[in-house]
Amino acid sequence: QLDHDETHKAIEEADLHHDRVGPDAHSDLPQNSGRTREQVLFERRHKNITNQGPKPFGYFDSHELDGGMIPPRVVRVEPFFLDDHLVTNQEFGKFIRSTYYETEAEKYGWSFVLSSFLTSSDQLETAETDPEAEHWVAVEGAYWRRPEGPASSYKYRENHPVVHVSHRDAAEYCLWIGKRLPGEREWEAAARAGHWGPSNRTMYSWGEDPTIAKDYANLWGNGTFPYVNHAEDGWRGTSPVKTYPPNAMGFYDMIGNVWEWQRGGKHKERIVRGSSYVDSVDGSFNHAATLGARATLHGTTTTGNVGFRCAKAPKRRTEHHYVHHDEEVHGELAIEDQFGKRDAIPQRGWEDRFGLDFDEDDRPRRKVVKPRTTISTEL
């Protein structure tokens, strides 16, 4: 018995002086590898996982080109209407002629134009450039009618998406037509077109293959940006709306062509989604043109690659029914005016608003909203 105790003690003593490097991070932290406990646990939980094998709790598929939220969140979007195409020059021109609206690019007197689209190379020597994007040049006199400056015109491009519009310009047009800008969640729900789950989430609106992008989106072709563009998709700049096939829900240009202003955000950080014709499918320059592509711009920014489309919430009505009102329990029925004040003086139309009535046993009834009965005739 004594020999066994001494042997066991010796084993414990040697165990205390042993620098463990095993995989058990809970009681066997590696001392010689230079890794922390968090690093060991991360490697254990994010080891190579096959599609057929089991996945640990909290695991999610991710891709370096996907600009969406990490980890992805599941959100609910209320029913809404969304234009199937971007607002065109022709449609925006009707708004201008009807309201005499002056865009912010016209007020400021200039807008950003891609350097390779300048009508004169002399402008590169005198004009100012965007400090964060040196290929975008501030051109005097550029606005939606003159996309590249005074020597250009939007004629023969009336079916192209309108550009050189600020966030306010886009919101004013949507208000005039009885709509609004789409929310970011609404836009992404329409862009992904049902492919938003963990099992069928895709990088692009057409699937996962980047080699066929020229058949589905207007992006920068082969060549050195910003001066060489072989235009395999047929266009060096903006393309007419509905040129490329729509996604599964029938929406056009959800990737490429022009960025799209979104509702919300701060004035200095307005949200744009969708990528544009200056972006690449693999992210080798500018943004990667994926469904998760996202950027923020100042609300007054106007460039040649930012447009918008409009959305609308369906009209809704609420159904009511009548319940008996016990005045001893709920208090005496009173009239509530438009300011929320309650008094006993009858006002015009109060009978229709409250539906006060008496049945056979002389008990009063009041009008209440039916639960979960907010319905719409437009859906």
Side-chain angles (χ1 to χ4, degrees):
Q1 181 68 24
L2 184 60
D3 295 339
H4 174 74
D5 292 341
E6 292 179 352
T7 303
H8 185 69
K9 185 176 181 180
I11 293 174
E12 287 185 339
E13 185 71 20
D15 193 48
L16 290 175
H17 292 281
H18 180 65
D19 293 331
R20 295 181 178 273
V21 294
D24 189 1
H26 293 288
S27 59
D28 197 8
L29 288 176
Q31 301 295 330
N32 297 334
S33 61
R35 296 179 298 173
T36 63
R37 180 176 183 273
E38 288 74 15
Q39 291 174 333
V40 174
L41 293 177
F42 179 85
E43 293 175 1
R44 180 188 302 175
R45 295 168 180 169
H46 296 77
K47 57 186 177 181
N48 294 331
I49 299 174
T50 61
N51 294 330
Q52 296 77 17
K55 297 177 176 56
F57 176 79
Y59 174 83
F60 60 90
D61 294 326
S62 62
H63 195 284
E64 59 180 2
L65 297 182
D66 190 0
M69 179 176 291
I70 297 178
R73 291 173 53 191
V74 178
V75 298
R76 183 178 183 275
V77 179
E78 294 292 334
F80 65 97
F81 297 108
L82 184 67
D83 291 347
D84 62 348
H85 65 275
L86 296 157
V87 176
T88 63
N89 285 313
Q90 185 179 21
E91 295 169 338
F92 195 77
K94 294 179 181 179
F95 162 65
I96 297 296
R97 290 189 295 270
S98 300
T99 61
Y100 298 95
Y101 179 80
E102 185 180 20
T103 63
E104 293 196 301
E106 296 175 78
K107 294 178 182 178
Y108 298 141
W110 61 273
S111 185
F112 285 116
V113 178
L114 189 64
S115 57
S116 58
F117 291 172
L118 295 178
T119 56
S120 173
S121 59
D122 297 336
Q123 293 176 293
L124 288 174
E125 301 178 0
T126 58
E128 297 182 358
T129 60
D130 187 345
E132 297 181 358
E134 59 181 8
H135 301 302
W136 289 96
V137 181
V139 176
E140 296 287 340
Y143 67 109
W144 73 274
R145 290 183 187 272
R146 304 281 186 257
E148 288 81 37
S152 62
S153 174
Y154 79 104
K155 295 298 183 181
Y156 304 105
R157 283 185 276 183
E158 293 185 347
N159 202 30
H160 288 230
V162 63
V163 292
H164 298 289
V165 288
S166 65
H167 187 272
R168 179 185 176 185
D169 299 335
E172 290 289 345
Y173 172 87
C174 293
L175 181 63
W176 173 76
I177 206 171
K179 301 179 182 180
R180 58 171 174 79
L181 288 173
E184 189 174 8
R185 294 179 178 179
E186 294 173 337
W187 185 93
E188 187 158 349
R192 294 196 179 276
H195 296 278
W196 47 68
S199 60
N200 63 350
R201 185 183 176 97
T202 60
M203 288 287 295
Y204 312 101
S205 58
W206 59 86
E208 295 286 348
D209 188 4
T211 60
I212 60 175
K214 63 183 180 61
D215 299 325
Y216 291 90
N218 178 13
L219 302 173
W220 195 268
N222 292 327
T224 305
F225 178 83
Y227 297 107
V228 181
N229 182 2
H230 297 298
E232 289 81 5
D233 52 15
W235 305 91
R236 293 185 63 243
T238 59
S239 60
V241 298
K242 298 186 178 182
T243 298
Y244 299 93
N247 65 5
M249 286 187 176
F251 297 104
Y252 296 87
D253 293 324
M254 302 306 283
I255 287 182
N257 212 355
V258 295
W259 289 95
E260 301 180 31
W261 288 113
Q262 304 294 303
R263 187 183 186 185
K266 299 179 180 180
H267 182 63
K268 294 184 178 180
E269 294 181 348
R270 294 295 187 183
I271 305 167
V272 291
R273 297 294 302 268
S275 68
S276 72
Y277 60 85
V278 301
D279 296 314
S280 57
V281 70
D282 57 356
S284 56
F285 53 87
N286 297 333
H287 290 81
T290 64
L291 289 173
R294 182 182 189 271
T296 57
L297 300 173
H298 195 284
T300 59
T301 300
T302 58
T303 71
N305 69 330
V306 177
F308 67 99
R309 74 179 73 207
C310 299
K312 179 184 177 182
K315 294 181 180 179
R316 296 174 180 269
R317 64 182 178 89
T318 304
E319 291 190 346
H320 300 80
H321 67 149
Y322 296 93
V323 298
H324 292 296
H325 180 81
D326 190 347
E327 295 186 350
E328 294 182 358
V329 177
H330 302 288
E332 184 178 359
L333 282 175
I335 308 302
E336 183 176 298
D337 60 15
Q338 65 269 31
F339 304 106
K341 297 182 179 180
R342 304 173 70 92
D343 53 60
I345 302 177
Q347 300 179 11
R348 176 181 296 180
W350 71 274
E351 299 91 345
D352 298 332
R353 291 170 53 197
F354 290 89
L356 186 62
D357 195 4
F358 296 89
D359 53 5
E360 298 177 357
D361 56 359
D362 294 334
R363 289 188 299 170
R365 294 188 302 169
R366 57 190 174 94
K367 188 178 180 181
V368 297
V369 178
K370 286 185 178 180
R372 296 184 295 277
T373 56
T374 302
I375 59 177
S376 173
T377 57
E378 296 183 337
L379 297 178

